[in-house]
Amino acid sequence: VPATTVGSDVKITNFKGDDGQVFSLPNPNLGPDTVMNMHQSSQKSVEDMATLVDLHEGAILYNISLRYRSSLIYTYIGSILSAVNPYKDMGVLYAESEIIRYNKRALGELPPHIFAIANEAYYAMWKSDFNQVALISGESGAGKTESTKLILRYLSALSNQTHSGPAALGKSASFEDQILQCNPILEAFGNAKTVYNNNSSRFGKFVKVNFNSSGVIEGS
């Protein structure tokens, strides 16, 4: 927890967190395991947490918290994307204009976004000629199902562009729409209500999307 010293005596030291909460620690407990100087890089939010000098759980959680307060729900850790469920409409974050914006842009060139991950996977198929995998994990209600839908939507848009031309980028074709629309059917067989989520998946999902040599979706 980021905090500053606000007073001490022979027995305890008082700290005040950035949230205003005051707490105390016995002086014998002060040490590298409980208190450490905060590096400058950790005091402001960064887009890629691999650049943090203080690379530990506290620094990571604080950086994610700072970005979340500014409605920035995505953060990189190298090529890994951390996402926080905003529990609200994010406006134009997933608009067609964003699909066009992230198309053919290198990872890290633009602010962190799930479209950047999907874009990297799509074009890596042609660079490496290998299958690509996007692993999505998180606790109940974290947004795994929505993240899957967004990746499928982005891949569908790129597939439609390849099939119908650049003017079609950002728009979904009927075949790709069918892939997205089958998800509620799959969910109906294994979802349940939890404390955090009214529609929680009780199973792991494996979605395989097949592309032809031209980059157009052929099946799923």
Side-chain angles (χ1 to χ4, degrees), residues 180-197:
L180 300 178
Q181 290 168 6
C182 76
N183 197 62
I185 300 176
L186 296 175
E187 291 178 353
F189 291 97
N191 282 23
K193 183 176 181 179
T194 67
V195 175
Y196 300 104
N197 186 3

Side-chain angles (χ1 to χ4, degrees), residues 9 42 45 53 57 82 89 102 106 109 115 123 127 147 155-157 168 182 201 208 220:
D9 56 32
S42 300
S45 68
V53 175
E57 183 179 359
S82 168
D89 184 4
Y102 279 86
E109 190 176 341
F115 287 165
Y123 287 105
K127 294 177 184 177
S147 294
L155 295 176
S156 298
C182 76
S201 302
K208 183 177 181 180
S220 175

Side-chain angles (χ1 to χ4, degrees), residues 1-4 15-19 21 23 34 36 38 56 58-59 62:
V1 178
T4 55
F15 299 90
K16 185 176 183 180
D18 69 336
D19 58 356
Q21 182 179 356
F23 56 95
T34 55
M36 65 182 69
M38 192 175 189
H56 51 74
Y62 182 61

Side-chain angles (χ1 to χ4, degrees), residues 6-19:
V6 293
S8 64
D9 56 32
V10 293
K11 292 184 178 180
I12 63 171
T13 299
N14 299 317
F15 299 90
K16 185 176 183 180
D18 69 336
D19 58 356

